[in-house]
Amino acid sequence: LLGGLAVRVLCHDFPPRLHRDQDIDFGCLSKGRKDVVAYLESAGCVPDRRFNSLNGDRQMYFNAPSGRPIDVMVDQLTMCHVLDFRPRFNALPLTLDVADLLLTKLQIVELNKKDARDIVHLLSAFTLVNVPSSSGAVGIDAARFSKVVGADWGWWRTVTDNLKKLP
């Protein structure tokens, strides 16, 4: 999972921000793309065949039987900035790594209320860690976060601007 539902899974002690028309965001690795397509179609999800044939190497769209839109990002999230999530893709069983999930929210140039809330939830629920824990404790991998933000001035600018906007 990516997006708001991933934050909900990781921050289950905080109030949910679910709404009826919320989309579902998933990530997958390119080597597993065909398996994801097969699984979603077997679950009754309808692919946007035109979009997926043109963009399926990086992003795919489906509609769930409930009508909810499903976005599947392949290998990376490309929005205001590009976040390659392959290095830590399997760090957690159900969601992106906490640092990567936080970065997906902090990279948004025009931050909205729901994304700001997700950032606050992640920063409140998890501590910074210098190395991923072998004890199974989950935290925000400071090295991963620093590597992404420190390697690109645009990333740094957007992240620091967004952190200043938080309550």
Side-chain angles (χ1 to χ4, degrees), residues 6-102:
V7 174
R8 179 71 189 127
V9 166
L10 291 174
C11 302
H12 47 81
D13 291 338
F14 293 92
R17 68 162 180 84
L18 298 175
H19 54 85
R20 194 169 53 86
D21 298 325
Q22 184 172 352
D23 67 343
I24 303 170
D25 297 317
F26 290 110
C28 75
L29 300 178
S30 55
K31 66 182 177 185
R33 189 179 53 197
K34 289 181 183 178
D35 293 336
V36 170
V37 170
Y39 174 78
L40 289 173
E41 287 180 348
S42 73
C45 298
V46 179
D48 181 328
R49 297 210 186 275
R50 173 183 261 176
F51 180 89
N52 293 351
S53 66
L54 293 171
N55 303 288
D57 60 324
R58 60 188 173 278
Q59 185 174 1
M60 299 180 289
Y61 287 142
F62 295 83
N63 278 303
S66 66
R68 283 186 187 216
I70 297 174
D71 296 328
V72 181
M73 307 300 164
V74 181
D75 292 330
Q76 61 188 19
L77 176 72
T78 304
M79 288 180 62
C80 301
H81 302 284
V82 176
L83 177 67
D84 183 351
F85 52 71
R86 289 175 293 183
R88 301 270 304 141
F89 186 75
N90 291 315
L92 297 177
L94 300 175
T95 68
L96 275 188
D97 175 71
V98 180
D100 282 358
L101 185 56
L102 179 59

Side-chain angles (χ1 to χ4, degrees), residues 105-159:
K105 297 296 182 170
L106 285 169
Q107 63 86 38
I108 300 168
V109 171
E110 293 185 25
L111 194 64
N112 63 40
K113 187 175 179 177
K114 68 181 178 72
D115 293 316
R117 183 176 177 179
D118 287 344
I119 292 166
V120 170
H121 283 189
L122 289 168
L123 292 172
S124 299
F126 298 98
T127 59
L128 288 174
V129 294
N130 288 325
V131 291
S133 173
S134 59
S135 69
V138 177
I140 301 168
D141 181 348
R144 168 71 176 154
F145 189 90
S146 299
K147 182 177 181 180
V148 171
V149 174
D152 183 304
W153 182 86
W155 262 104
W156 176 85
R157 182 85 235 156
T158 306
V159 167

